[in-house]
Amino acid sequence: MNLQSFTKRYQLFRGLVNGRIARTDPFFIDIDVTNRCNLRCLGCIYHSAGVTHLDLKSDDTHDIPLETIERLCRDLDSAKTPLVVLQGAGEPMLHPRIIDIITMLKRQGFTVSLITNGTKLSRDMNRRLIESELDVLKVSIWALTREQYSLNYPGADPDNYLIIRDALSDLRSLKAQRSSPLPRLHFYIPINRFNYRSLAMVVTLADECRAANVIFAPMADITGELGDTVLPRREEQAVKKELKTISRQLKARGISDETDLTFLRYRLKDALWKYFPCTIAWYHARIRTDGSVQSCGRCDSEVIFGNINDSSFQDIWNGPAIQEFRYQRLWQLRNDYWAHHCACATCCFVRDMRRIDNVFKWIRPVLRPFRKRAS
């Protein structure tokens, strides 16, 4: 642990002791680039036809304005918030100025990661991504065969699978021609009933495309409407065993993976607050296309801390709304409310949460009497 990371962690826990005020800037920020999407991924909480009971969908189909990105660049210090992730409730590459957004963020010194379904990759886009010096291109892959594609992407052309695979091979070739290490290619593989028997195919794909990292994730049935498509519980142990083999095969090829996080998400896949407090609002924020600020992408439209079009990010980051959210989540108050307003099943931040709680759980009992008197 270098001095900078030690200092940030020290300041993080200073804020937790305070209970409301963050003593650090967010370690990283997610930005919703667009609400538009060209696919209806089966388990998507925003666009899946099978998800109807979660208030995360938006009727707005607009893109984030370039002016909002400029405002955010002025508000944030890349030395304090080094990572920006471009993702959102839609496909980022549908934004007509996506390369300009990447270039602007890179010019300000941020490390930039972009999450995509891969369908808009092409030779021209690959060239532009390399020239923009995008750091990480994370491709979400729900299907490993043409047949799986039809099941996981209802209504989409199953030939998309072959198009994406060819585009990724082209990206590898272009990077080699230009002797460019960027963008580093990551794969994100949600596991469900339709693809769990073919996970070993990821090793070959990752090797062919020179991927740097592979992340497997449990597909969550957040609303209870996708029970027929999630991985059957009886198959989980077999899948975990296979993932250990896949992990060894990837490492033998110089490809990293995060199977420890996968196993943790399976083990603690129920709502996060059943195990330990949600501390995400102490080190992370999500910017929506309209400029509104939330803790993450799984909180509904009522959980808003402010809007960067009306206030500076710094004012919002320790404003009254986020302070109340931090206090409530840290002390696990009103869990019935959060259970209905935040989709915390199989939380992707669970590893960070547990690491924080492994330390803070020893401090919490000392602070609890003071919190009770204060409330």
Side-chain angles (χ1 to χ4, degrees):
M1 181 184 296
N2 59 39
L3 179 61
Q4 182 184 26
S5 61
F6 174 82
T7 301
K8 290 181 75 171
R9 284 162 175 75
Y10 171 73
Q11 295 296 346
L12 171 67
F13 282 101
R14 278 192 65 208
L16 289 168
V17 169
N18 172 276
R20 293 180 181 272
I21 298 175
R23 303 296 185 184
T24 67
D25 286 355
F27 293 2
F28 66 104
I29 280 182
D30 289 345
I31 301 178
D32 280 20
V33 176
T34 181
N35 289 332
R36 298 181 292 129
C37 196
N38 58 340
L39 294 179
R40 297 294 180 265
C41 303
L42 190 64
C44 177
I45 57 179
Y46 304 105
H47 296 283
S48 171
V51 178
T52 61
H53 297 157
L54 193 62
D55 187 20
L56 297 179
K57 298 176 183 285
S58 173
D59 293 331
D60 297 327
T61 56
H62 58 280
D63 306 323
I64 195 167
L66 210 59
E67 293 76 14
T68 302
I69 303 295
E70 292 174 342
R71 186 175 296 109
L72 196 59
C73 286
R74 291 195 297 269
D75 285 352
L76 294 177
D77 183 344
S78 60
K80 297 178 180 178
T81 302
L83 174 62
V84 172
V85 181
L86 304 177
Q87 54 164 317
E91 166 51 47
M93 288 192 182
L94 291 178
H95 195 296
R97 305 290 297 276
I98 186 61
I99 298 299
D100 294 328
I101 290 173
I102 296 170
T103 302
M104 185 181 301
L105 291 167
K106 289 293 297 180
R107 190 181 300 126
Q108 292 297 317
F110 294 101
T111 296
V112 182
S113 175
L114 185 146
I115 302 176
T116 176
N117 60 33
T119 57
K120 304 306 290 184
L121 291 173
S122 63
R123 171 161 282 265
D124 179 61
M125 178 57 75
N126 288 340
R127 176 187 58 77
R128 296 172 71 195
L129 290 175
I130 293 172
E131 292 174 351
S132 73
E133 298 186 340
L134 175 71
D135 294 280
V136 174
L137 178 68
K138 183 182 291 187
V139 182
S140 177
I141 299 177
W142 290 70
L144 299 164
T145 67
R146 192 174 182 276
E147 292 70 29
Q148 289 176 7
Y149 203 93
S150 297
L151 295 170
N152 280 290
Y153 300 92
D157 184 351
D159 284 337
N160 279 349
Y161 170 75
L162 301 175
I163 294 171
I164 293 169
R165 189 184 64 184
D166 291 344
L168 293 175
S169 295
D170 177 71
L171 176 64
R172 177 204 64 198
S173 299
L174 281 176
K175 287 169 59 178
Q177 292 172 16
R178 296 169 178 241
S179 299
S180 174
L182 301 178
R184 296 183 297 276
L185 179 61
H186 291 192
F187 286 155
Y188 185 85
I189 317 291
I191 304 172
N192 64 15
R193 183 185 295 270
F194 299 133
N195 64 17
Y196 77 98
R197 298 182 187 276
S198 306
L199 297 179
M201 296 175 64
V202 174
V203 177
T204 301
L205 180 65
D207 193 32
E208 290 176 350
C209 298
R210 301 295 187 269
N213 188 40
V214 175
I215 303 171
F216 295 96
M219 174 180 159
D221 183 17
I222 293 173
T223 64
E225 300 170 275
L226 301 173
D228 292 337
T229 59
V230 298
L231 179 69
R233 185 176 292 272
R234 64 181 180 275
E235 301 289 352
E236 287 183 11
Q237 286 305 117
V239 167
K240 291 176 184 177
K241 183 178 179 179
E242 183 176 14
L243 287 177
K244 291 179 181 179
T245 300
I246 292 173
S247 176
R248 291 192 293 269
Q249 294 172 344
L250 289 170
K251 285 181 171 63
R253 291 163 172 79
I255 303 169
S256 64
D257 67 273
E258 300 185 30
T259 49
D260 61 326
L261 174 58
T262 310
F263 296 155
L264 185 62
R265 292 178 71 179
Y266 270 119
R267 183 159 64 86
L268 306 179
K269 65 182 179 180
D270 294 330
L272 188 69
W273 49 263
K274 292 184 179 180
Y275 304 101
F276 35 70
C278 173
T279 50
I280 190 172
W282 301 91
Y283 61 87
H284 171 270
R286 178 99 171 231
I287 312 296
R288 296 295 194 184
T289 55
D290 63 356
S292 58
V293 180
Q294 294 187 286
S295 60
C296 77
R298 294 195 178 190
C299 291
D300 71 23
S301 57
E302 295 181 20
V303 187
I304 298 291
F305 306 138
N307 193 299
I308 60 173
N309 293 311
D310 303 322
S311 307
S312 72
F313 180 84
Q314 295 301 331
D315 288 341
I316 296 170
W317 181 238
N318 273 313
I322 196 171
Q323 285 193 36
E324 183 63 18
F325 179 90
R326 289 175 182 144
Y327 183 84
Q328 296 286 351
R329 298 304 277 140
L330 189 61
W331 296 101
Q332 295 194 340
L333 305 177
R334 294 172 60 201
N335 282 342
D336 58 331
Y337 176 86
W338 302 114
H340 290 91
H341 290 77
C342 292
C344 298
T346 67
C347 175
C348 53
F349 297 102
V350 64
R351 181 171 54 189
D352 297 327
M353 306 282 190
R354 189 179 68 164
R355 287 173 177 170
I356 292 171
D357 193 64
N358 282 343
V359 176
F360 192 68
K361 67 183 179 182
W362 302 106
I363 305 172
R364 191 184 302 114
V366 178
L367 298 176
R368 192 176 295 277
F370 300 97
R371 297 301 169 210
K372 288 182 178 179
R373 285 199 292 271
S375 59

